[in-house]
Amino acid sequence: MSFDAIIIGGGHNGLTAAATLAKAGRKVLLLEAADTVGGGASTVEFAPGFRTSGLAHIINRLDPDVVKAIGLDTSGFEATAMPTAILSETSEAIVLRGAYGESIDGVGKEEAAAFAALRKKLLFHAGLLRRFMKKPPPELGNTSLKDLAAHAATGLKLLSQGREEARDVLRMLLMNVADISDEFLTDDRLKGLLAFDATLGLHLGPRSPTSLMGLYYRLTGEALGASGGQFLPRGGMGAVAQAFAEAATAAGATIRTASPVRRIIANRGLAGGVELEDGEILMASTILSAIHPRTTFHHLVDPADTQTGLSRAIGHIRSNGDVAKLNLALDKVPQFQGLSEADHKGRLVIARSMNHVETAFNPSKYGEYSPDPVMEITLPSLSDPKLADTGCTLSAMVQFAPYALREGWESGKPKFLEIVLDGLERHAPGLRASVEHAELLTPADIETRYRMPGGHWSHGEMQPDQLLFNRPVHAAAGYSTPLEGLYLASAGSHPGGGISGLPGLLSARHILAGGSR
Amino acid sequence: MTLDPIRKAEQEHFRTLLMPTPFHPRLAPLVETQSWYGWAGMLVAHSVFDEELEYFAIRSTAALFDISPMIKYRITGPDAERCLNRLTVRDVSKQKVGRVQYTAWCDDEGHVLDDGTLFRLGAADFRLCCQERHLPWLLDTARGMDVAIREETQEIAGLALQGPTSFAVLSKAGFDGVEALRPFQLAEFDHDGGKVMISRTGFTGDLGYELFVPATAALSLWDRLWEAGRLHGLNAIGYNALNRARIEAGFIVANGDFVTAETALRADRVRMPDEIGLDWLVDVDKVQFNGRSAILAARKNGTLKHVLVGLEIDDNTPAEAAIVYHGNKREVGLISAAIWSPTAKRNIAIASLERPYGSEILDDLWVEIYALRELKYHKMMKRARVVERPFVKLARRSANPPARF
């Protein structure tokens, strides 16, 4: 059987690309190394009777264009919007309701108004940036009329709120989240939340230059029709992956799991097929790699088939993760202090202050984990009881936990787990005693389990030097690569990480449009 | 940081700004002109006793030139050929053991990083000689391959023996079998209890050889040749004389006639092989190599901007660094090397022109020469014609067996 396109990697981006290409009539084969598709979007039974999302656990940027383009059936996993609560050991939690705090409980009237002003501004700016997320990265020195028209439209939109707002966009774009928070807010707990959200998944502290961009990126995402919206998928992230796979299959794509690719076959600068680990050879004129760009170019492509400058640049991609994933099996629902029972279904953030996030970041610069980490906690089985036969599951993103821990994760992991559990215990007394099973995935574990070099879920730091026409590297930005016939479509490509489907969609559309460089 | 003994011994290196070459003890007493300069961090001479006579040693008898500062890399291992095929624009798989290839290498954008000579010492053993240093680029090119690369510039001494009597000198020196060497062929010979690698190569366009020995055997090799050359007109020469010969031969010098991609500061100074007369090296039918797609695209899209040409200029004033004009008005390029050629009896130059001048438009070219004569410029506008390189072609260079003279 012959195929027009072979897609390497069955993460949600690979599946999106498969569905998009298949819908356009291409004969598509998707190869996934693992036994199930989904990659970082999975549901795992980490302890008998306890299921949770394996890595990504919140839907906050699944793109409506992707949903529409591939006919993704969201009914199997869509759930109601959830609030964000900022936990405190000593006072009531602050709760942001609606999409990123349309209303806010737990702060004074004045502070609420200040937050509303900042929120409005950030969402407006994010709306402008979203325009860049929805199309291929602009090409330097090769601007098409279409690009120009799009930039002009963005410019007009920018000016629609007046020149002062336009200036503010340019002023704030590369600032750090700490300075902006200080400018607008007084409540340090709110600042802590913004700091956490801006830096989650990045090797930045809130006072690092450009850290505001992480918050902008978050707010370019939307869920349930609202920018900054979020929900916990029913059935865990595996249910989302399942829906993607069904869309791809329905479009006519063939999916083969447990089929790891050994190498990409190329000749004289032209890619034309793949060889599987078991020796099977499959040919196609289009090879789309929806896995980490470093794996693609340093492990699958023969070095003799690529150029030195490209492989050097690929080697320089900064892709060391800083986030650990914690899965807990609890014998009962934990009670977090100062939090209503209903709000336990929300996203619970432990970040006391701006300084808390900054000091949590500092050790990671020197290859050490935070002695007092910040984290984002969800209790998935509260909203979806099917995830736990008894008791309760807890899923948390904990940072900072540097990939290259100086002492090594073998000895570091048990110590870090103790620290994390202690942190949880302080906010939910009695939690430790109810732990039946604890699983901590360090970035090193995430790398191994999900085949993500550096354990970085964005397949490369989302910092300005690795965005747009420099994502993942300049020579391979915009989905085409210097190896003709080979295209990229993972989170390592524009617009980047998170469960959005956009890299897969944009890459597939680029191929359908002719795929030229 | 703790230093290993070797690094510790090297710590004082900066006190010697220019390092003597392994031949310095023999060469220094001969250098009457004291015209020393630095070549890749080593001390070498512009001339030895008389530039003019040194040139005629190359063309009439034999000349000995110290090429030890030439950058040398040793590339070994099962993937050496694959690695070099990725690096260079020529097909290394076609290069037989014992052959030397003139070649060039480019970055991903197809811009030339350097040109040089590649010696195939064995199936998996190569020596690459060039003008600039490239170790990081070479190591990155070897990533993922089973190949070892190291610089051996300092440990290997090199001599160029060039000129009509060069074969006679080698023969007299007892290098039996050297007569079998055809142009671009190499072989090893016994010397001083070890080996010397002799190749029939050079930078003069004349009959000539290049000899490589471990630095420890440098002086004994010099003495052996010097003694053998006594009755064959052997002279030590400096770079200026060699430079004249190489211009006649039409050879280009990296960072003399073109700017290498890694040293260019200005974006428009980089050059593709086709822009410096090296298009004939590029083997588009071989396996993938650095710069391949960019070079092919530039050829296809007609975006090559420059061309390197040989010029013959009226009268006898060398047009060094002169601007080239079309129709007396329009600036179209620059001369990078120029001499009055004693052998060709022509005023010759190597120039870089902006296409289509030099590629399609060949007529009505002029050069503006400013000759400084006793504190006054004699400004001349001279007619220039694009001519074939080499300007001087000598049958003895490639005659087999080589003549004894």
Side-chain angles (χ1 to χ4, degrees):
Chain A
M1 190 166 179
S2 72
F3 295 93
D4 300 322
I6 293 172
I7 295 173
I8 305 168
H12 77 289
N13 278 311
L15 292 165
T16 301
T20 310
L21 291 174
K23 262 186 172 281
R26 302 285 172 100
K27 288 176 79 177
V28 179
L29 171 67
L30 184 144
L31 300 168
E32 165 57 42
D35 293 338
T36 54
V37 292
S42 66
T43 300
V44 294
E45 182 160 300
F46 65 99
F50 291 90
R51 287 166 292 277
T52 186
S53 294
L55 183 56
H57 64 171
I58 293 170
I59 291 284
N60 59 12
R61 59 182 320 115
L62 178 55
D63 199 85
D65 288 0
V66 171
V67 172
K68 202 173 149 204
I70 68 170
L72 185 73
D73 180 7
T74 59
S75 64
F77 61 83
E78 203 161 81
T80 50
M82 65 172 173
T84 294
I86 309 165
L87 299 180
S88 167
E89 290 169 53
T90 53
S91 62
E92 292 290 303
I94 295 176
V95 182
L96 279 67
R97 304 197 183 280
Y100 214 73
E102 282 164 76
S103 68
I104 183 165
D105 296 348
V107 295
K109 228 175 173 178
E110 238 171 88
E111 186 67 0
F115 181 82
L118 174 59
R119 177 182 177 275
K120 185 180 168 209
K121 188 181 271 291
L122 292 174
L123 284 174
F124 173 68
H125 296 183
L128 290 170
L129 298 175
R130 184 183 296 127
R131 291 163 170 261
F132 291 97
M133 307 288 161
K134 297 265 202 176
K135 53 191 180 69
E139 278 185 63
L140 273 190
N142 193 12
T143 315
S144 67
L145 277 177
K146 212 173 137 198
D147 272 354
L148 271 183
H151 296 334
T154 305
L156 285 176
K157 176 79 183 161
L158 177 65
L159 289 169
S160 69
Q161 301 291 309
R163 285 188 179 279
E164 201 176 327
E165 194 58 48
R167 272 200 301 274
D168 235 18
V169 175
L170 298 177
R171 178 180 73 94
M172 288 165 63
L173 193 57
L174 297 178
M175 279 181 71
N176 71 56
V177 67
D179 285 344
I180 287 300
S181 301
D182 285 344
E183 207 173 288
F184 283 82
L185 305 173
T186 48
D187 193 308
D188 215 10
R189 295 168 299 172
L190 272 178
K191 294 181 189 178
L193 173 71
L194 295 186
F196 178 84
D197 283 350
T199 57
L200 182 64
L202 294 176
H203 187 71
L204 290 176
R207 291 193 180 84
S208 309
T210 75
S211 64
L212 183 62
M213 209 172 249
L215 188 55
Y216 276 140
Y217 186 71
R218 169 180 283 264
L219 295 177
T220 59
E222 53 189 292
L224 305 169
S227 296
Q230 61 186 1
F231 66 89
L232 277 179
R234 272 188 295 119
M237 213 48 99
V240 180
Q242 200 46 47
F244 271 98
E246 278 160 17
T249 310
T254 307
I255 295 174
R256 276 175 63 177
T257 54
S259 303
V261 172
R262 179 190 292 159
R263 66 184 185 102
I264 293 169
I265 299 166
N267 184 22
R268 290 176 176 76
L270 186 68
V274 299
E275 182 185 337
L276 303 187
E277 282 294 351
D278 63 14
E280 186 182 355
I281 286 177
L282 297 155
M283 306 302 280
S285 60
T286 298
I287 309 294
L288 194 147
S289 187
I291 58 174
H292 197 292
R294 192 183 295 160
T295 312
T296 304
F297 284 106
H298 279 186
H299 299 289
L300 297 190
V301 173
D302 187 312
D305 288 327
T306 58
Q307 311 195 80
T308 303
L310 173 67
S311 73
R312 177 187 270 185
I314 292 285
H316 290 162
I317 295 173
R318 291 175 295 115
S319 186
N320 282 352
D322 267 301
V323 188
K325 172 79 198 301
L326 176 72
N327 296 321
L328 291 184
L330 304 171
D331 64 13
K332 60 175 189 291
V333 178
Q335 297 301 310
F336 285 93
Q337 285 182 353
L339 190 68
S340 75
E341 199 181 316
D343 288 336
H344 275 72
K345 289 182 178 174
R347 177 171 75 108
L348 319 177
V349 174
I350 296 179
R352 291 185 301 276
S353 64
M354 185 64 68
N355 277 351
H356 182 197
V357 184
E358 186 75 24
T359 50
F361 167 63
N362 285 338
S364 76
K365 291 184 284 192
Y366 310 105
E368 292 160 19
Y369 50 72
S370 313
D372 181 12
V374 290
M375 62 188 102
E376 163 187 284
I377 305 151
T378 62
L379 301 168
S381 65
L382 274 193
S383 316
D384 181 3
K386 285 185 192 147
L387 289 172
D389 296 349
T390 58
C392 180
T393 58
L394 180 149
S395 164
M397 298 293 186
V398 188
Q399 72 176 14
F400 291 80
Y403 169 75
L405 190 73
R406 205 167 48 181
E407 70 160 295
W409 278 113
E410 200 180 327
S411 64
K413 188 161 139 176
K415 289 186 243 172
F416 189 56
L417 178 60
E418 283 303 303
I419 287 170
V420 175
L421 291 176
D422 278 349
L424 286 168
E425 176 74 18
R426 284 201 299 278
H427 288 86
L431 181 142
R432 285 209 67 150
S434 75
V435 175
E436 290 188 359
H437 183 77
E439 178 187 65
L440 183 69
L441 300 177
T442 69
D445 298 324
I446 292 169
E447 171 181 71
T448 311
R449 185 174 292 188
Y450 296 106
R451 298 178 167 83
M452 289 180 183
H456 202 301
W457 68 54
S458 294
H459 295 195
E461 276 285 301
M462 299 276 296
Q463 293 186 38
D465 60 304
Q466 296 190 164
L467 294 178
L468 295 167
F469 40 77
N470 285 324
R471 188 163 190 85
V473 297
H474 184 68
Y479 317 110
S480 286
T481 72
L483 193 56
E484 222 180 301
L486 173 67
Y487 300 86
L488 302 182
S490 86
S493 288
H494 176 78
I499 307 292
S500 76
L502 280 172
L505 178 70
L506 294 176
S507 178
R509 284 185 172 165
H510 173 73
I511 290 165
L512 292 173
S516 60
R517 293 177 52 72
Chain B
M1 188 178 118
T2 52
L3 289 176
D4 60 52
I6 294 170
R7 291 182 72 103
K8 202 167 171 69
E10 293 287 330
Q11 264 201 316
E12 296 288 299
H13 72 95
F14 67 94
R15 298 196 191 280
T16 310
L17 287 187
L18 290 175
M19 208 165 45
T21 78
F23 299 108
H24 193 75
R26 294 295 182 274
L27 196 57
L30 301 173
V31 180
E32 294 168 9
T33 59
Q34 297 297 334
S35 58
W36 300 101
Y37 76 104
W39 172 12
M42 290 193 193
L43 188 66
V44 290
H46 272 305
S47 66
V48 174
F49 58 102
D50 183 305
E51 203 178 305
E52 206 75 25
L53 295 177
E54 289 165 39
Y55 164 80
F56 282 105
I58 300 173
R59 291 290 182 233
S60 307
T61 54
L64 205 51
F65 180 67
D66 183 0
I67 54 170
S68 302
M70 201 158 59
I71 307 302
K72 299 175 277 289
Y73 295 104
R74 195 64 171 266
I75 297 135
T76 52
D79 282 336
E81 180 184 292
R82 243 157 58 85
C83 175
L84 287 162
N85 250 342
R86 185 188 193 195
L87 178 78
T88 65
V89 298
R90 286 185 87 169
D91 193 345
V92 182
S93 68
K94 289 182 185 159
Q95 182 179 3
K96 295 193 171 72
V97 173
R99 297 291 298 173
V100 185
Q101 229 182 31
Y102 172 59
T103 189
W105 49 104
C106 301
D107 61 15
D108 292 21
E109 286 72 41
H111 298 131
V112 178
L113 289 164
D114 212 340
D115 63 344
T117 39
L118 181 63
F119 297 74
R120 188 157 202 171
L121 310 176
D125 187 1
F126 294 85
R127 174 177 290 147
L128 183 65
C129 296
C130 52
Q131 183 72 13
E132 300 291 330
R133 287 189 153 86
H134 301 283
L135 192 58
W137 183 260
L138 296 180
L139 292 175
D140 283 352
T141 302
R143 195 200 60 74
M145 297 191 187
D146 188 1
V147 55
I149 299 177
R150 62 187 180 85
E151 183 173 345
E152 54 176 22
T153 304
Q154 272 177 258
E155 55 200 87
I156 301 291
L159 276 178
L161 174 64
Q162 302 280 305
T165 65
S166 54
F167 166 63
V169 173
L170 286 181
S171 188
K172 179 82 187 280
F175 291 110
D176 297 334
V178 81
E179 67 279 358
L181 286 183
R182 302 168 83 84
F184 292 103
Q185 197 178 343
L186 68 87
E188 287 205 315
F189 297 85
D190 291 333
H191 173 70
D192 199 9
K195 294 280 181 195
V196 54
M197 185 195 89
I198 302 180
S199 60
R200 189 164 163 192
T201 51
F203 209 47
T204 59
D206 217 307
L207 173 62
Y209 300 84
E210 287 171 319
L211 298 86
F212 295 90
V213 280
T216 47
L219 294 181
S220 63
L221 178 68
W222 179 283
D223 293 340
R224 185 172 171 183
L225 295 173
W226 200 248
E227 177 60 28
R230 277 209 302 169
L231 296 176
H232 291 280
L234 181 65
N235 279 294
I237 64 161
Y239 180 71
N240 291 1
L242 181 88
N243 189 44
R244 292 195 196 192
R246 74 92 186 171
I247 295 172
E248 290 182 330
F251 294 142
I252 56 172
V253 172
N255 288 321
D257 299 292
F258 71 97
V259 183
T260 58
E262 263 185 344
T263 56
L265 299 177
R266 295 163 180 83
D268 63 344
R269 300 301 201 271
V270 292
R271 293 288 185 269
M272 287 191 162
D274 299 41
E275 296 178 299
I276 54 172
L278 301 184
D279 39 337
W280 62 279
L281 292 179
V282 181
D283 190 342
V284 295
D285 295 325
K286 77 162 195 173
V287 294
Q288 175 72 320
F289 58 92
N290 289 334
R292 182 179 186 272
S293 43
I295 293 167
L296 288 180
R299 286 177 179 179
K300 186 168 154 237
N301 305 329
T303 52
L304 295 162
K305 289 195 182 71
H306 300 90
V307 64
L308 187 130
V309 295
L311 292 180
E312 185 177 331
I313 298 155
D314 279 356
D315 296 331
N316 61 5
T317 313
E320 236 176 341
I323 293 174
V324 183
Y325 290 87
H326 180 256
N328 264 330
K329 279 266 189 303
R330 189 191 170 90
E331 261 189 56
V332 298
L334 184 83
I335 285 173
S336 54
I339 54 159
W340 163 259
S341 162
T343 302
K345 303 286 188 284
R346 292 190 289 165
N347 195 22
I348 59 172
I350 293 169
S352 186
L353 305 186
E354 284 167 35
R355 292 173 190 243
Y357 302 99
S359 55
E360 276 120 68
I361 303 174
L362 304 175
D363 62 342
D364 210 8
L365 294 176
W366 299 79
V367 297
E368 187 179 34
I369 305 172
Y370 284 76
L372 189 60
R373 300 284 181 260
E374 297 181 324
L375 294 184
K376 196 169 176 186
Y377 273 121
H378 287 213
K379 186 179 153 193
M380 291 163 265
M381 206 55 146
K382 296 288 183 190
R383 195 63 185 254
R385 284 170 303 283
V386 174
V387 296
E388 288 279 299
R389 288 178 296 143
F391 302 98
V392 170
K393 206 167 179 183
L394 299 165
R396 62 178 178 251
R397 173 179 186 242
S398 45
N400 289 305
R404 241 171 226 287
F405 294 99

